[in-house]
């Protein structure tokens, strides 16, 4: 296993059961972090944990609904009592919504997207940042999307959540800099996962979850006097 400055740290990854979240969790474990896998369903988390263990990594599993403040706070309390610290928080959990124009969207569908993709990050930062502030160190990495930079017809709610997440990230970064906490936002283009709409796209040209995980691995290994506030990831060839 590769060893470096991340060794011995505790990393929390939300939405770690599959796709980008699972790839990020496996990357951080390979760098020597103890990774806490969070998600609403236990089995996918256990599957990720098994792959990490098979590669001599350390992982713990905890179910949590990031859209529920009580659930997130209970999760943060569990991490504090069980591991005593959190060094890296990767807010990856999110859902898509690409079914049609905004004026045909139900309020319930809108609320579901915004509750997970934006309010959930607020809940996680609210619950975990105090531990980082007390330690005077930490790194928060929010997984956004190029949909938070560009127009996305038939995905306006998803785009709104990611535009909002970008603004939240930049603002929280300024709030937490004085506490030596770094906040970064990662904006990938279309990634070959269950979340992204693939119609008409060449899957072989799309980004892969490991591409996003690679960037997260670079971010957590930065020298402590600097941080990258934003990373945009695009495929070499348009899919």
């Amino acid at each position: 296993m590769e060893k470096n400055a991340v060794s011995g740290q505790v990393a929390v990854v939300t939405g770690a059961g599959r796709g980008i979240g699972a790839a990020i969790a496996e990357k951080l474990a390979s760098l020597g972090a103890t990774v806490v896998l969070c998600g609403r369903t236990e089995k996918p988390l256990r599957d990720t944990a098994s792959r990490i263990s098979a590669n001599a990594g350390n992982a713990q599993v905890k179910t949590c609904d990031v859209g529920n403040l009580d659930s997130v706070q209970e999760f943060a309390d569990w991490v504090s009592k069980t591991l005593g610290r959190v060094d890296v928080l990767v807010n990856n959990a999110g859902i898509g919504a690409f079914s049609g124009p905004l004026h045909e969207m139900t309020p319930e569908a809108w609320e579901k997207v915004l509750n997970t993709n934006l309010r959930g990050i607020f809940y996680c930062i609210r619950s975990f940042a105090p531990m980082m502030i007390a330690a005077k160190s930490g790194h928060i990495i929010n997984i956004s999307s190029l949909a938070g930079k560009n127009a996305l017809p038939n995905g306006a709610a998803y785009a709104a959540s990611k535009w909002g997440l970008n603004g939240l990230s930049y603002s929280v970064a300024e709030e937490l800099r004085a506490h030596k906490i770094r906040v970064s936002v990662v904006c990938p283009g279309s990634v070959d996962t269950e979340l992204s709409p693939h119609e008409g796209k060449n899957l072989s040209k799309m980004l892969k979850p490991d591409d996003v995980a690679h960037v997260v691995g670079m971010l957590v290994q930065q020298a402590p006097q600097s941080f990258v506030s934003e990373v945009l990831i695009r495929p070499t060839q348009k899919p």
Side-chain angles (χ1 to χ4, degrees):
M1 180 188 298
E2 183 182 352
K3 293 291 184 181
N4 54 35
V6 185
S7 293
Q9 293 192 353
V10 173
V12 171
V13 181
T14 69
R18 56 176 61 88
I20 293 172
I24 291 171
E26 292 177 52
K27 178 63 175 180
L28 293 175
S30 77
L31 295 173
T34 294
V35 183
V36 184
L37 312 175
C38 160
R40 287 181 294 182
T41 307
E42 185 171 351
K43 185 182 183 306
L45 299 175
R46 293 289 177 192
D47 292 342
T48 303
S50 294
R51 292 193 299 274
I52 290 172
S53 297
N55 289 296
N58 297 315
Q60 299 208 30
V61 168
K62 182 69 174 175
T63 55
C64 172
D65 178 2
V66 299
N68 181 290
L69 180 57
D70 289 339
S71 180
V72 175
Q73 188 59 63
E74 190 276 332
F75 175 41
D77 291 343
W78 179 88
V79 171
S80 179
K81 292 174 183 177
T82 305
L83 298 169
R85 60 191 290 179
V86 60
D87 302 283
V88 178
L89 169 63
V90 181
N91 288 309
N92 166 75
I95 60 175
F98 314 103
S99 58
L102 184 68
H103 69 273
E104 295 179 358
M105 190 176 201
T106 66
E108 293 76 18
W110 165 273
E111 179 61 26
K112 184 178 180 181
V113 173
L114 272 292
N115 191 55
T116 298
N117 294 5
L118 190 54
R119 186 180 288 120
I121 281 78
F122 159 54
Y123 288 164
C124 287
I125 292 174
R126 184 181 188 275
S127 299
F128 282 98
M131 276 190 274
M132 294 182 173
I133 291 171
K136 294 183 170 58
S137 69
H139 200 152
I140 297 171
I141 301 173
N142 297 327
I143 306 302
S144 184
S145 169
L146 287 182
K149 295 283 185 178
N150 306 313
L152 183 64
N154 298 317
Y158 180 79
S161 71
K162 296 303 185 180
W163 281 75
L165 176 56
N166 291 353
L168 179 151
S169 300
Y170 312 142
S171 300
V172 171
E174 292 303 311
E175 295 171 357
L176 296 180
R177 287 173 76 176
H179 302 286
K180 299 183 179 179
I181 299 168
R182 304 184 291 189
V183 180
S184 305
V185 62
V186 179
C187 301
S190 295
V191 183
D192 184 11
T193 68
E194 297 174 5
L195 175 70
S196 301
H198 298 161
E199 184 177 352
K201 292 189 176 182
N202 184 334
L203 301 186
S204 68
K205 294 180 180 179
M206 293 178 69
L207 296 171
K208 306 302 177 186
D210 283 345
D211 296 321
V212 184
H214 175 72
V215 169
V216 172
M218 291 192 300
L219 291 174
V220 298
Q221 295 180 83
Q222 287 176 258
Q225 76 276 4
S226 67
F227 78 101
V228 174
S229 61
E230 177 186 81
V231 180
L232 310 184
I233 314 175
R234 305 178 191 276
T236 304
Q237 295 180 303
K238 287 188 176 183

